[in-house]
Amino acid sequence: MPKKTTPTENTVNREYKSSIFAMLFQDKTKLLELYNAISGTNYTDPDILKIVTLENAIYMGLKNDLSLIVLEIRLHLYEHQSTPNPNMPLRDLLYVADQFSDLTKDMNIYGRKQIKIPSPHFFVFYNGEE
């Protein structure tokens, strides 16, 4: 039976909060500020970033909050959560596998030449109460 809320209780629309997070950081200047804050770097050119966020990928309907490639060597995947999710490591694995599949789709992964991929880094921003 669903819990009923009283007029004094605040209910949270998790999709709305996640959308605001993703919308705010679609601005490359803001995204670079976030990247610098997390990485301890001081980059000033937002063009070093390439936004590669998954948008309802066909495979399993995957969609993550925000992904970017930095200088073609680092892949950052950012997720915003307002409730705990013990499956984030699994979700991150699926997200990065989908990202790598997309990045290498036109490359010969069975060939003799090594394909270089950016190193993945995962970040979860949590603002819940638990």
Side-chain angles (χ1 to χ4, degrees), residues 107-116:
M107 299 176 186
N108 181 4
I109 62 171
Y110 300 102
R112 297 180 66 88
K113 182 180 175 190
Q114 181 182 20
I115 295 172
K116 297 192 185 261

Side-chain angles (χ1 to χ4, degrees), residues 2-21:
K3 178 184 170 189
K4 292 184 179 182
T5 58
T6 63
T8 58
E9 283 186 77
N10 291 326
T11 57
V12 176
N13 181 335
R14 288 186 291 258
E15 289 296 316
Y16 180 74
K17 289 173 98 175
S18 183
S19 296
I20 294 294
F21 175 83

